[in-house]
Amino acid sequence: MVNFTAREVRDIIISMLFIAVIFAFIFSQSNINAFILLIPSLLIAVGLGFILHELAHKFVAIRYGFYAEFRIWFEGLIFAVITAIIIKLAFVAPGAVYIHGNNISREQNGKISLAGPLVNIVLALIFLGLTPYINYNANDVSGFIISNLLYFGFFINSYLAAFNLIPISILDGAKVFRWNPIIWGVTFAFSVILVLKALNYIQF
């Protein structure tokens, strides 16, 4: 059974809000009107991408019989804000799903870690598939919000997948790489291709 503590729900909501605001700041290019208009789209795009990413980790871990709970990392949030302000790039590591259990194998840990980026890749492809059906009109507020939801949903989920698959110790990529370098390489390469393609779709 999947259970959520009050602290876990709080940490997920805070992290999601922080990430949405950070991406809105970066994409608005210091334009306050654009920042305000981007918030609704990014809350949905980030909400889906971030929450489902973490839930994927949690569900797979629970399926293996382990206890899993998301915990916020305030240092990661602060660092994300600093990098967004200084270099206009988001270091997205607001927290992680902590897994408790005995004898977690390298394969289990790798699959649990891979689950999150795979969800982001699927979401990115869904957003990409919907973009041809949107007629962008800068003078239409609802059209602006919907089109940006799709464009940024595509980019953010591609970015979250690629970023989290970087093979450094605090990210998912290190655990996936230790389990299966080939699967890591294929998944990481595909996510990078999606990021590069997404950069051509973003509209401001």
Side-chain angles (χ1 to χ4, degrees):
M1 181 179 295
V2 179
N3 295 311
F4 296 90
T5 65
R7 178 181 175 181
E8 184 176 21
V9 172
R10 181 207 64 184
D11 285 359
I12 289 174
I13 292 174
I14 292 174
S15 299
M16 180 189 71
L17 292 174
F18 259 87
I19 297 174
V21 169
I22 288 169
F23 274 114
F25 172 78
I26 293 173
F27 292 136
S28 66
Q29 300 179 332
S30 302
N31 183 315
I32 186 64
N33 292 327
F35 175 82
I36 294 172
L37 287 173
L38 285 172
I39 287 293
S41 301
L42 288 172
L43 277 174
I44 298 173
V46 170
L48 284 173
F50 171 72
I51 292 176
L52 294 181
H53 175 108
E54 299 301 337
L55 289 182
H57 290 318
K58 184 181 178 80
F59 290 161
V60 176
I62 290 174
R63 185 169 182 83
Y64 279 127
F66 305 125
Y67 177 79
E69 185 173 356
F70 179 82
R71 283 285 179 262
I72 199 168
W73 181 34
F74 287 104
E75 293 85 352
L77 287 178
I78 293 171
F79 189 66
V81 172
I82 293 173
T83 56
I85 293 173
I86 296 176
I87 63 175
K88 299 297 189 289
L89 181 66
F91 180 86
V92 189
V97 171
Y98 289 84
I99 302 167
H100 304 278
N102 297 320
N103 302 317
I104 302 176
S105 70
R106 180 172 293 184
E107 179 181 354
Q108 290 172 330
N109 206 16
K111 290 180 177 179
I112 291 169
S113 300
L114 182 62
L118 282 181
V119 165
N120 291 130
I121 288 173
V122 170
L123 287 172
L125 292 174
I126 291 173
F127 281 117
L128 174 62
L130 293 174
T131 52
Y133 301 100
I134 295 298
N135 294 318
Y136 177 77
N137 185 345
N139 297 317
D140 178 9
V141 174
S142 62
F144 178 86
I145 293 174
I146 294 173
S147 61
N148 277 288
L149 167 61
L150 297 182
Y151 292 127
F152 289 124
F154 175 34
F155 174 79
I156 288 173
N157 279 282
S158 300
Y159 177 82
L160 288 175
F163 177 83
N164 281 282
L165 283 169
I166 295 173
I168 60 177
S169 60
I170 63 172
L171 299 177
D172 300 326
K175 305 178 189 70
V176 178
F177 183 85
R178 283 195 295 268
W179 162 52
N180 193 313
I182 295 176
I183 290 178
W184 169 82
V186 171
T187 311
F188 182 61
F190 186 69
S191 65
V192 170
I193 291 171
L194 287 178
V195 170
L196 295 175
K197 186 175 181 62
L199 289 173
N200 296 323
Y201 276 78
I202 296 176
Q203 299 196 25
F204 297 95

